[in-house]
Amino acid sequence: MAAEDSAVLSARGISVRFGGLHALDEVDLEVAAGRVTGLIGPNGAGKTTLFNVLGGLLEPVAGSVHLGGADITTWPPHRRGRAGMARTFQRLELFTGMTVEENLTASWEAAHPGAIFGRGRPTRKQRVAEMMELLGLERIAGRTAGELPTGLGRMVELGRALCADPRVLLLDEPSSGLDVGETQHFARILRQLVAEAPHNGHDAGQPLAILLVEHDMALVMEVCHVITVLDFGRRIACGSPDQIQGDPAVRAAYLGETDVA
Amino acid sequence: MSTFWPLVVIGLFTGSIYGLGALGLVLTYKTTGVFNFAFGAVAMFCAFVYWQIHDTWHWTAWISIPLLLLVVAPLIGYLFELLFRPLSGLAAEVPIVVSLALLALLEVGAQLIWGGQERGFETIIPTSSFKFGSFYVGWDQLGTLIIAFMAGGFLWWLLRHTRFGMSTRAVVDNRDLAAIIGVSGDNVRRFAWMVSSTFAALLGILLTHSQELTTYNLVLVVLVSFAPAVMGRNESFPWAFGGALGLGVFTSVLHRWSTSGTVANIEAAVPWFLLFIFLIVLGGRLKEPGLSVRPMAVATGTLSTGDMEHMSARPRIQRAVALGVGAFAVAAVLPTVVPGPQVSVLTYGALWALMAVTLVVLTGWAGQISIAQVSFVGVGAFAVGHWAGAHGQNFVPAALAGMAIAVPLGLIVGIPSLRLRGLYLALATLAFALIMDYVVFNSVGISGGLTGILDHRPRIFGVSFASTTSMYELSLGVLGVVLAITFALRQGPIGRRLRILRDSPLAASTLGVNLTVTKLVTFAVCGVVAAMAGALYGSYLQSITPINFQFGLSVQLLLLVVFAGRSVLTGAVVAGVLAMIPALIVSLIGGGTIGANVGNWITLAVAVGVIGLGRNPEGTVSLSIQEAKRTLSVMRPRPRRYLGLGSPLAPERLEVSSGG
């Protein structure tokens, strides 16, 4: 199977302008099933902008976004959610007044039509239980999400996104606020998810696709199969972690940034 | 043409009064992020203080006006700043509710001090007029215009050419940076509150000379300033002032056609129509500082593993059901031990609890604030009044008709919620409530004007509910059914759907929730249930007037619900109990001076309560439940475990901390 065929989510020729500023200039991106795709770049490179275009919070002036076979460029966020896209947020967006279990349950219900009228209750319970077990959340199932420390909050947000049974998962700076141990734990889970996560969703059998926007280079190099590098709104490189680390253009882009090691 | 220009000039005069109000509102909003719903009440209160000093104690205007503007008003502003300071940084709803509570507090306080009757004020400026071109202009009108412009000019000078102005702009731009360079935000805010309050006082005494005033209608007149304040997007003084002048001229010119009653009603509602439309059109472009703050969750205690973790949901639900059924059983047998008049009072409480349920769902669960819920109650009540027939035989179809009318109305109130939250949603619902007051409830054809119409006790499937006891049983039965359904919904997918709407609309939408549909349906359903409550409420009262459904009652309902606990159904029941206390006291000790004021005292108490618990928007009931739980868990000898960062997740945490 050719690489393009397995791309669950793809963006082609995305351009975004804020006034006269070219935030994104004809950027391409592909997120394949069974892979963790990294999206990196120095501050202001356009990562968040691209992320928001993919998530439907921002409409590009040119280019298209495809999910599965469908052109979703103009779809509102909730339609993308229904079509199998789930995301987390750089700044935690938990349902703070609800318990951890309710967070996951509400997500499953939001993503599955008819669930609000009680359809598919056994499946829902099973899925939520599986996910809590996978992420080690059973112990805090009854706790109010707003009370949790960031590390646990990130896990709950991940679990919530996964309970929507997505085909593609977008992670926005998931390691911010995590300590080293928690980050490693997180990395293990990501690897596990693309490798073996049971997938009950839209096209059964196909493993999950993950897009990871991240500052933590160690994490990116450790978990990503493919990395796309943005700089000044353009794609300057795309390849395996080894290729990216050896790429002169990437080095040049990052050396301009003193704060990135 | 001959009548056009005089109307324009008159419009400028009234517009300048609104302008003064709009400037005062924008000033505090810009500097503190608080939109002062109580602005009109401050104006009213100051006007009555002036009446006390000047018209009753006969102090000369030369003393009483400076006393009012330079001492009394700034003092009120100072107190407001003290109240609002600890609230900054909390969810947007908190300052809204607290300022609504201040509105109620000042309104009721003024009624307790000065009574609710009309007061004639001695004029400050002579009312004689002079000829200007082809028409006459009153000195008082011209004086008002000049004073308003002078006040505007003073504000402009203050902001542009003084140290205060510089500090204000620094604080508005970036509070933290301003603090670093030594500009005290507290001083700026305090001064802004004081100036704004002085503007309110000025507005109050300028208004008094034009009409006979009660505490209520003075507040109502000043409320109109909300519209131009929002037209200036709550940040531009010139736009706010200009908008006010434009609004004044526009409504004044409309006078030409206001020959009949209906048109006059619509005319009074014009500012509110404009505000409502403006809010929808401006939508997301309205900045709201409070919104950058996360909506508050239930107050967080220590991060210990409490009871929740060890007790699964089932026993908790069972306990709640047992309590609810028990309370219902007690309520059901009450009529056998309680005499007739008190049974009637209980009915009143049950129906207010029913209204409160709709607000708990809408505001507490779904996070959509509404100051229009009693308008829906009115729709149901008037539908029954018109269509139920003399013996209430058509009660069911009439009530259903009222509920059907509530559907489109609910959708209309829901529209602003698609793009607005917090303050601007509150303002939009307030505008809707006032439109309903003016256009629907004040129209003689619908409500019978001030005399009102008769409502009829229901007859449902041949069973008459004319007696006091049967009416109580019916109301309690409906309340019980609604509470049971709502309780069941809360535990299920629908309850979760509403609560994720409150906690994070953004996350909900990315998960696949259609926010538009969810919000509109919620507003419509809550409106329909409120209309059903209204059908019962109207037939309980038996004689209804527009006064029963004024926006002020929506404010009261909101305050009761917030006070009692807006996110739990128990809160709705407690709100109903609180609502009936005044009537209960009156029915026990009879009317008279105490009885007449009991309602005011209760409102006062609730307002004070709301102001006091501004820090915890979850209300007294939730708070006491939490406190009780905490006390219980302390008493139980279970060791408290603390959830450290990442404790259940990262076994390597120890190595990490020892290594780093």
Side-chain angles (χ1 to χ4, degrees):
Chain A
M1 200 191 281
E4 295 89 55
D5 293 348
S6 66
V8 179
L9 176 70
S10 62
R12 285 179 211 136
I14 300 290
S15 295
V16 173
R17 280 180 203 119
F18 297 123
L21 177 79
H22 289 247
L24 288 178
D25 203 5
E26 306 211 343
V27 171
D28 295 330
L29 180 74
E30 278 176 1
V31 186
R35 298 277 157 114
V36 180
T37 306
L39 178 62
I40 62 171
N43 287 329
K47 302 184 298 282
T48 307
T49 309
L50 182 56
F51 205 86
N52 285 337
V53 168
L54 296 176
L57 300 177
L58 198 63
E59 209 175 308
V61 289
S64 62
V65 182
H66 290 262
L67 178 64
D71 182 346
I72 62 164
T73 318
T74 56
W75 288 15
H78 72 264
R79 241 184 116 184
R80 297 173 196 231
R82 290 252 158 131
M85 179 189 286
R87 68 168 288 182
T88 65
F89 297 83
Q90 187 176 350
R91 210 172 131 201
L92 282 178
E93 280 283 343
L94 292 169
F95 303 135
T96 45
M98 299 163 68
T99 65
V100 170
E101 187 173 5
E102 282 175 321
N103 266 267
L104 270 59
T105 307
S107 158
W108 193 92
E109 286 162 352
H112 294 81
I116 193 159
F117 305 113
R119 200 197 286 169
R121 208 156 156 255
T123 326
R124 183 199 85 199
K125 287 196 152 179
Q126 187 202 338
R127 193 85 183 107
V128 169
E130 273 173 23
M131 206 49 70
M132 289 200 298
E133 195 194 333
L134 176 73
L135 302 177
L137 298 174
E138 306 106 315
R139 227 181 66 88
I140 52 162
R143 293 203 58 89
T144 308
E147 294 180 356
L148 298 174
T150 314
L152 287 177
R154 294 258 172 236
M155 280 299 158
V156 175
E157 217 185 25
L158 178 66
R160 190 181 66 184
L162 290 170
C163 272
D165 285 337
R167 32 179 29 174
V168 57
L169 175 63
L170 313 184
L171 302 173
D172 193 357
E173 307 268 355
S175 80
S176 57
L178 301 192
D179 65 28
V180 182
E182 288 169 330
T183 308
Q184 280 172 3
H185 183 70
F186 200 85
R188 269 203 303 282
I189 288 176
L190 290 191
R191 280 286 193 175
Q192 198 181 337
L193 281 172
V194 287
E196 60 187 66
H199 191 74
N200 308 344
H202 301 265
D203 24 21
Q206 204 182 15
L208 184 65
I210 295 182
L211 176 69
L212 177 67
V213 172
E214 189 50 72
H215 263 123
D216 183 339
M217 280 304 142
L219 176 64
V220 171
M221 294 303 162
E222 186 189 337
V223 301
C224 291
H225 300 88
V226 189
I227 298 173
T228 293
V229 188
L230 294 183
D231 193 26
F232 292 114
R234 289 170 179 275
R235 185 165 94 166
I236 58 167
C238 178
S240 70
D242 289 339
Q243 287 170 329
I244 294 299
Q245 272 172 323
D247 191 309
V250 176
R251 285 180 167 270
Y254 271 93
L255 282 177
E257 293 263 321
T258 46
D259 58 327
V260 177
Chain B
M1 255 346 251
S2 59
T3 55
F4 182 74
W5 288 107
L7 289 174
V8 169
V9 175
I10 292 169
L12 283 177
F13 298 142
T14 42
S16 65
I17 291 185
Y18 303 147
L20 208 52
L23 293 180
L25 285 164
V26 174
L27 179 63
T28 44
Y29 187 77
K30 254 176 101 105
T31 45
T32 68
V34 174
F35 188 87
N36 188 6
F37 279 88
F39 189 83
V42 175
M44 175 274 296
F45 198 85
C46 287
F48 273 81
V49 170
Y50 177 75
W51 178 82
Q52 185 73 47
I53 303 173
H54 182 254
D55 295 35
T56 314
W57 296 341
H58 301 292
W59 294 20
T60 132
W62 293 107
I63 298 173
S64 40
I65 291 180
L67 183 68
L68 187 75
L69 296 185
L70 301 177
V71 180
V72 177
L75 193 67
I76 294 177
Y78 182 81
L79 291 175
F80 270 47
E81 200 274 334
L82 278 185
L83 279 174
F84 281 104
R85 194 193 303 168
L87 306 182
S88 73
L90 292 185
E93 298 92 59
V94 179
I96 298 171
V97 175
V98 170
S99 75
L100 284 170
L102 284 167
L103 165 68
L105 182 81
L106 288 172
E107 164 82 37
V108 170
Q111 274 189 33
L112 287 171
I113 301 172
W114 293 291
Q117 65 268 49
E118 286 194 348
R119 301 285 183 191
F121 287 79
E122 244 176 68
T123 57
I124 317 162
I125 315 167
T127 45
S128 60
S129 54
F130 63 94
K131 200 157 191 245
F132 177 77
S134 58
F135 51 91
Y136 286 91
V137 174
W139 283 110
D140 52 342
Q141 296 173 324
L142 186 65
T144 305
L145 187 71
I146 291 170
I147 291 172
F149 268 91
M150 277 168 57
F154 168 72
L155 191 63
W156 177 82
W157 171 79
L158 205 63
L159 288 171
R160 282 287 143 195
H161 296 285
T162 64
R163 207 182 139 70
F164 165 75
M166 196 97 89
S167 314
T168 304
R169 279 180 288 147
V171 170
V172 169
D173 274 356
N174 190 325
R175 183 193 304 179
D176 300 331
L177 272 184
I180 288 170
I181 60 165
V183 175
S184 156
D186 284 346
N187 283 342
V188 165
R189 279 185 285 276
R190 191 176 305 126
F191 194 65
W193 273 112
M194 287 157 86
V195 172
S196 167
S197 176
T198 303
F199 272 47
L202 196 57
L203 184 52
I205 46 179
L206 283 176
L207 278 171
T208 49
H209 72 87
S210 58
Q211 42 207 309
E212 297 268 299
L213 288 167
T214 63
T215 53
Y216 185 76
N217 60 20
L218 228 170
V219 172
L220 210 58
V221 173
V222 185
L223 278 186
V224 175
S225 315
F226 287 10
V230 173
M231 285 179 202
R233 289 196 197 181
N234 257 333
E235 54 181 29
S236 158
F237 292 107
W239 274 102
F241 198 77
L245 293 180
L247 181 67
V249 171
F250 184 67
T251 44
S252 172
V253 169
L254 278 184
H255 257 300
R256 285 178 91 182
W257 295 282
S258 61
T259 42
S260 74
T262 321
V263 178
N265 284 337
I266 294 175
E267 188 195 313
V270 160
W272 303 106
F273 275 116
L274 289 177
L275 178 61
F276 193 76
I277 293 165
F278 211 75
L279 284 166
I280 293 174
V281 173
L282 268 185
R285 272 174 290 171
L286 290 161
K287 276 193 291 180
E288 189 173 344
L291 273 192
S292 58
V293 177
R294 318 280 321 116
M296 259 193 52
V298 182
T300 51
T302 48
L303 272 178
S304 65
T305 49
D307 282 335
M308 305 281 277
E309 183 191 344
H310 302 279
M311 200 201 286
S312 73
R314 195 162 294 278
R316 265 187 292 135
I317 293 171
Q318 282 169 352
R319 203 171 50 185
V321 169
L323 270 174
V325 170
F328 185 81
V330 170
V333 297
L334 270 181
T336 56
V337 288
V338 169
Q342 278 79 1
V343 172
S344 174
V345 172
L346 289 174
T347 317
Y348 181 81
L351 292 173
W352 270 76
L354 188 56
M355 299 174 208
V357 172
T358 67
L359 203 57
V360 164
V361 173
L362 188 62
T363 303
W365 296 3
Q368 310 298 311
I369 196 164
S370 169
I371 319 184
Q373 214 52 19
V374 175
S375 303
F376 290 93
V377 175
V379 170
F382 283 112
V384 167
H386 281 285
W387 298 318
H391 307 287
Q393 69 275 23
N394 294 327
F395 178 83
V396 174
L400 287 176
M403 288 155 75
I405 296 170
V407 173
L409 291 175
L411 294 178
I412 291 172
V413 197
I415 292 171
S417 80
L418 301 180
R419 292 166 77 182
L420 303 168
R421 289 183 81 178
L423 169 64
Y424 291 109
L425 179 58
L427 280 170
T429 55
L430 173 71
F432 177 83
L434 282 156
I435 292 170
M436 291 292 289
D437 280 0
Y438 284 119
V439 178
V440 179
F441 299 143
N442 275 358
S443 110
V444 178
I446 293 173
S447 68
L450 284 177
T451 47
I453 61 169
L454 294 180
D455 246 13
H456 312 283
R457 286 285 161 93
R459 176 184 286 275
I460 300 169
F461 302 125
V463 183
S464 168
F465 292 90
S467 77
T468 309
T469 313
S470 62
M471 189 64 211
Y472 172 66
E473 282 160 355
L474 175 66
S475 307
L476 187 69
V478 173
L479 174 66
V481 170
V482 170
L483 277 175
I485 294 174
T486 343
F487 182 77
L489 288 182
R490 180 181 163 86
Q491 315 305 328
I494 292 176
R496 278 189 289 269
R497 180 66 49 93
L498 294 180
R499 285 183 293 149
I500 66 177
L501 198 65
R502 176 185 81 169
D503 284 354
S504 173
L506 178 62
S509 75
T510 59
L511 288 168
V513 173
N514 187 333
L515 298 181
T516 308
V517 171
T518 316
K519 284 179 181 171
L520 288 180
V521 168
T522 309
F523 268 98
V525 170
C526 289
V528 166
V529 178
M532 182 178 76
L536 291 167
Y537 187 58
S539 61
Y540 158 74
L541 292 176
Q542 290 182 294
S543 157
I544 52 173
T545 72
I547 294 165
N548 296 113
F549 310 104
Q550 271 167 344
F551 90 96
L553 286 145
S554 291
V555 172
Q556 265 192 24
L557 183 66
L558 180 67
L559 291 179
L560 278 173
V561 167
V562 169
F563 178 62
R566 62 170 183 164
S567 53
V568 284
L569 288 173
T570 331
V573 177
V574 174
V577 172
L578 287 172
M580 74 182 183
I581 290 176
L584 191 65
I585 295 176
V586 173
S587 79
L588 287 173
I589 62 170
T593 38
I594 308 168
N597 281 327
V598 156
N600 285 339
W601 284 110
I602 296 294
T603 312
L604 201 73
V606 168
V608 169
V610 169
I611 295 166
L613 60 78
R615 286 156 185 275
N616 181 16
E618 295 301 324
T620 26
V621 173
S622 305
L623 195 65
S624 25
I625 291 173
Q626 273 175 24
E627 288 298 326
K629 271 186 189 159
R630 206 162 293 160
T631 321
L632 281 175
S633 68
V634 168
M635 290 190 322
R636 231 170 273 165
R638 180 187 293 134
R640 302 182 118 203
R641 278 169 292 150
Y642 286 83
L643 282 175
L645 209 75
S647 52
L649 288 178
E652 63 274 54
R653 185 170 154 262
L654 276 178
E655 309 161 25
V656 172
S657 53
S658 60

